[in-house]
Amino acid sequence: MNLEDEIIEINQSENRRAHIHAMLGKMKQYDLTAVKIEGRRIWVDDDHSVIDFASCNYLGLDLDEEMQNDISDEIMRWGVHPSWCRLVASPAIYQQIENQLATLIGVESTLIFPTVTLISIGVLPALVGKGGVLILDKSGHETMYEAAKIARDSGATLLSFPQNDLETLELHLQHHQNNKRKVIMIDGVYSMSGDFARVPAIVALAKKYDAIVYIDDAHGFGVVGENPTSAMPYGQRGNGIVRYYGLDYENIIYVGGCSKAYSSLAAFVGCSKKMQSFIKGFSTPYDLSGPCPTASLATLAKGLVINEHRGNQYREKLFTLTHKSINGLRSMGFEVLNQSWFPIIFVRIGDNQDTIETANLLFEKGILVTVSPYPMVGIGQEGHRITLTAANTLEEVEELLASFQIIRDYLVDKHSNNAI
């Protein structure tokens, strides 16, 4: 056995991801190559297509003609990819978009990075340094945990609390109340269930104990926003979970992702001007990472214009599709975790075997979802994550529900007519 084989074998035996890949290898729904796309229909070979319910392009801007046609001017101006690190120089389009984002979310300043992952890796260790305290919501995105481990290895303390367990969170804050560098890490919208974090209550605790709340709103930005009503339950303008709750940004560092609702490779930190200056100086990816491609900055700029003109129309359609899907799935007897009507719908199926079998059946019926076996989720929590976009249609939702009726019948028959 050569050294490469030995390294792979050792790591596979020790690494949780090896078990995940073993599960995914039994499914037809993973590691696909798309050979053609028409709307939300994907051809994975010349004679088999699937309807895409795995995309997170929530507003459907990836397929918006205006978005696609208006990026060439910026490419002609700046080239395909000005490869300065941002510490050296940035094309003026960065500052233009940062100002627009700051106005949209209602904060002093923003700072753009290529991804939310890079923001977490750079900002969280810088915030707490050696001796600070990070308190992670266990349901928060794994990239925050990976960033927190970097901070822990540099001398910070890493603690956690279960989702919505404010008592445990307060105990941690009380125990470390004399530490001036305390950061609570949460998702704005949870990436598996689509539910919203209890941001007002968490921020209130943060203010009580002089902590900062770091909000990863990768999914929420662009969908949820200010002034929600029964007619517009997501709120207006898509300016994020903080504005959805009507809060200001005191004690909050807000991280918005643009690769989902805005279909652009970019993410940003919303913060005070003083914090922006600190991040520029102490966040490693600002001076060592490559920048966003010009095309992504151009599509983000155009997406912000589209959002102002017709973003609410897209959000209205998105709610209609999500509402129909959740009600249809529940009427069949499926357990759907989503309580918020956000366009992430997690359907519990059963154990790994049931999940794998139904995933393959959905694929055969022409439906693409994100499959979540153990150990991606806990034992007994296995299932399928459905994500909807404004580019999906009512007819496609009908096909989705018809396919889930088939897998429901399959499961009932397999388990001798026991309830699923």
Side-chain angles (χ1 to χ4, degrees):
M1 182 181 293
N2 62 33
L3 179 59
E4 182 180 273
D5 290 338
E6 288 181 9
I7 291 171
I8 291 172
E9 182 174 316
I10 291 169
N11 283 314
Q12 282 181 336
S13 66
E14 297 176 349
N15 197 313
R16 169 177 170 269
R17 289 184 179 273
H19 301 290
I20 293 174
H21 283 284
M23 289 296 101
L24 301 186
K26 300 177 181 179
M27 301 178 207
K28 301 175 182 178
Q29 293 243 3
Y30 272 96
D31 204 19
L32 302 173
T33 298
V35 297
K36 184 174 70 170
I37 295 175
E38 290 182 1
R40 281 288 175 258
R41 185 170 289 277
I42 301 172
W43 273 259
V44 295
D45 56 43
D46 291 337
D47 59 2
H48 187 70
S49 67
V50 290
I51 302 171
D52 183 4
F53 290 104
S55 170
C56 291
N57 290 291
Y58 296 122
L59 300 184
L61 296 182
D62 58 317
L63 301 175
D64 189 292
E65 289 187 7
E66 185 178 351
M67 186 89 146
Q68 295 172 343
N69 293 337
D70 286 356
I71 63 173
S72 57
D73 288 349
E74 296 297 342
I75 291 176
M76 292 296 293
R77 184 175 301 161
W78 301 112
V80 174
H81 188 248
S83 197
W84 308 303
C85 69
R86 291 211 62 194
L87 188 65
V88 173
S90 298
I93 189 173
Y94 269 102
Q95 187 173 33
Q96 168 200 327
I97 298 172
E98 286 169 347
N99 290 339
Q100 289 175 301
L101 288 168
T103 299
L104 176 62
I105 71 171
V107 73
E108 273 191 354
S109 62
T110 67
L111 190 63
I112 291 176
F113 289 75
T115 66
V116 170
T117 300
L118 279 176
I119 291 174
S120 292
I121 288 172
V123 171
L124 288 169
L127 281 175
V128 293
K130 183 177 181 179
V133 180
L134 290 162
I135 310 173
L136 174 66
D137 181 339
K138 287 184 178 180
S139 295
H141 201 273
E142 186 174 350
T143 53
M144 281 195 294
Y145 175 57
E146 295 297 329
K149 287 195 295 184
I150 295 173
R152 182 183 62 190
D153 291 345
S154 299
T157 297
L158 175 57
L159 305 167
S160 64
F161 65 100
Q163 180 181 334
N164 296 329
D165 185 351
L166 300 186
E167 291 184 7
T168 297
L169 172 59
E170 185 163 16
L171 286 173
H172 290 324
L173 291 168
Q174 286 175 341
H175 186 72
H176 294 277
Q177 59 186 316
N178 294 325
N179 193 312
K180 297 299 183 183
R181 291 176 293 174
K182 299 185 291 295
V183 178
I184 305 165
M185 300 174 288
I186 62 172
D187 281 358
V189 176
Y190 295 101
S191 60
M192 292 304 289
S193 67
D195 287 332
F196 301 166
R198 297 174 62 185
V199 177
I202 292 170
V203 169
L205 282 176
K207 290 180 178 179
K208 180 178 177 180
Y209 292 98
D210 294 323
I212 287 174
V213 182
Y214 177 96
I215 301 178
D216 177 344
D217 204 25
H219 289 270
F221 177 66
V223 180
V224 299
E226 62 191 45
N227 302 321
T229 64
S230 57
M232 281 289 292
Y234 296 151
Q236 310 286 326
R237 303 184 68 203
N239 49 8
I241 197 72
V242 176
R243 297 301 301 275
Y244 173 87
Y245 283 116
L247 302 174
D248 58 33
Y249 289 88
E250 184 182 357
N251 290 67
I252 291 175
I253 292 177
Y254 178 83
V255 178
C258 305
S259 65
K260 295 177 172 59
Y262 281 88
S263 304
S264 301
L265 182 66
F268 65 91
V269 185
C271 57
S272 67
K273 289 182 179 179
K274 183 182 292 187
M275 181 58 72
Q276 185 203 52
S277 179
F278 171 81
I279 291 171
K280 284 183 177 182
F282 290 89
S283 176
T284 304
Y286 188 79
D287 57 358
L288 294 180
S289 170
C292 300
T294 305
S296 287
L297 295 170
T299 53
L300 176 53
K302 176 55 64 174
L304 290 168
V305 173
I306 294 171
N307 179 60
E308 288 297 318
H309 292 164
R310 45 194 163 89
N312 282 346
Q313 297 174 27
Y314 286 145
R315 285 181 279 272
E316 287 175 0
K317 180 182 179 184
L318 192 53
F319 174 74
T320 298
L321 296 177
T322 304
H323 190 269
K324 181 178 180 63
S325 299
I326 291 175
N327 283 343
L329 290 162
R330 284 180 175 152
S331 71
M332 297 177 205
F334 284 106
E335 181 183 1
V336 177
L337 299 191
N338 186 308
Q339 300 299 319
S340 68
W341 304 103
F342 191 86
I344 295 173
I345 306 170
F346 192 88
V347 183
R348 282 188 179 153
I349 294 297
D351 60 18
N352 269 359
Q353 191 59 37
D354 284 346
T355 301
I356 292 167
E357 291 172 6
T358 55
N360 290 335
L361 187 55
L362 285 171
F363 183 81
E364 291 168 5
K365 297 299 180 184
I367 299 294
L368 181 68
V369 296
T370 302
V371 187
S372 300
Y374 171 81
M376 290 179 69
V377 296
I379 294 175
Q381 309 298 312
E382 299 93 334
H384 304 311
R385 189 184 78 162
I386 302 161
T387 47
L388 291 134
T389 77
N392 285 115
T393 66
L394 283 171
E395 292 76 16
E396 289 170 346
V397 168
E398 292 287 357
E399 289 192 50
L400 173 76
L401 294 175
S403 296
F404 267 84
Q405 182 65 58
I406 291 170
I407 69 169
R408 181 194 181 279
D409 294 343
Y410 171 80
L411 290 170
V412 169
D413 181 65
K414 176 181 176 180
H415 295 290
S416 303
N417 295 319
N418 291 330
I420 62 172

